Amino acid sequence: AQSVAQPEDQVNVAEGNPLTVKCTYSVSGNPYLFWYVQYPNRGLQFLLKYITGDNLVKGSYGFEAEFNKSQTSFHLKKPSALVSDSALYFCAVRPTGSARQLTFGSGTQLTVLP
Amino acid sequence: GAGVSQSPSNKVTEKGKDVELRCDPISGHTALYWYRQRLGQGLEFLIYFQGNSAPDKSGLPSDRFSAERTGESVSTLTIQRTQQEDSAVYLCASSTAGDLYEQYFGPGTRLTVT
């Protein structure tokens, strides 16, 4: 069975600084990897996904993520954080060839301080 | 276009009552998923519908939970004899066919069992 770990419940960063939200995964075979963001009282919004190809994936709102197969990681990054990036971020995984449910991490609360 | 919609947005019910939650997926999306998000936790998969195939009910926590979907449109999640531990946000997501596609989430229904 697949699993996702987000080791940090909370990440604080100053506005304008780079941010990283960590994610590691465990899955049989090759993974499809996703990042979602959840703003207060709203549903999850898709940010980006890794399917195959280039290990650096670019997504919405200036976010990017780097797939590292040897470290089984898919960390979310942004070069310069904005206060409006403050939200709850979820990493998710699905095995290749499966159109079924995503397995989510427990989420990381990102706070960008002005 | 219109996204995934869910109703009601909030539901307060007494322990022991039955509740029905509704999801309207994005038009043309053949796959539909239900997840549960307890306070401060990640998403738990409940059930998955894909076209006319038999649903994957492997995530339903007990026989008090059931879900139906009419064709490739509306789905209802029913919880019978609600318990306090059923209190959570129930999220619906839909996607197009195939395993490459991300899931689009609705805003959720916040269920509170008193």
Side-chain angles (χ1 to χ4, degrees), chain A residues 32 42 45 51 54 78 86 92 107:
Chain A
Y32 293 153
R42 296 177 65 178
Q45 295 180 32
I51 302 298
D54 195 346
K78 187 173 182 180
S86 298

Side-chain angles (χ1 to χ4, degrees), chain A residues 36 49 94 97 99-100 102, chain B residues 33 35 56 99-100 102-103:
Chain A
Y36 285 84
K49 65 182 177 184
R94 187 172 71 217
R100 294 177 178 241
L102 295 169
Chain B
Y33 310 77
Y35 294 86
D56 176 354
D99 59 356
L100 299 182
E102 61 271 20
Q103 297 173 21

Side-chain angles (χ1 to χ4, degrees), chain A residues 63-77:
Chain A
F63 283 93
E64 57 189 29
E66 186 167 11
F67 171 62
N68 187 316
K69 189 172 184 177
S70 63
Q71 296 185 4
T72 62
S73 67
F74 190 57
H75 300 332
L76 181 71
K77 300 181 180 183

Side-chain angles (χ1 to χ4, degrees), chain A residues 1-80:
Chain A
Q2 58 265 25
S3 65
V4 176
Q6 293 181 243
E8 301 158 317
D9 292 335
Q10 174 82 39
V11 170
N12 295 328
V13 64
E15 187 174 28
N17 283 2
L19 70 86
T20 298
V21 182
K22 296 179 180 177
C23 171
T24 59
Y25 67 90
S26 173
V27 66
S28 299
N30 295 319
Y32 293 153
L33 293 157
F34 302 81
W35 276 100
Y36 285 84
V37 59
Q38 187 175 37
Y39 296 99
N41 300 315
R42 296 177 65 178
L44 274 70
Q45 295 180 32
F46 169 75
L47 273 181
L48 52 80
K49 65 182 177 184
Y50 171 81
I51 302 298
T52 188
D54 195 346
N55 289 342
L56 185 64
V57 178
K58 294 187 183 297
S60 306
Y61 312 121
F63 283 93
E64 57 189 29
E66 186 167 11
F67 171 62
N68 187 316
K69 189 172 184 177
S70 63
Q71 296 185 4
T72 62
S73 67
F74 190 57
H75 300 332
L76 181 71
K77 300 181 180 183
K78 187 173 182 180
S80 179

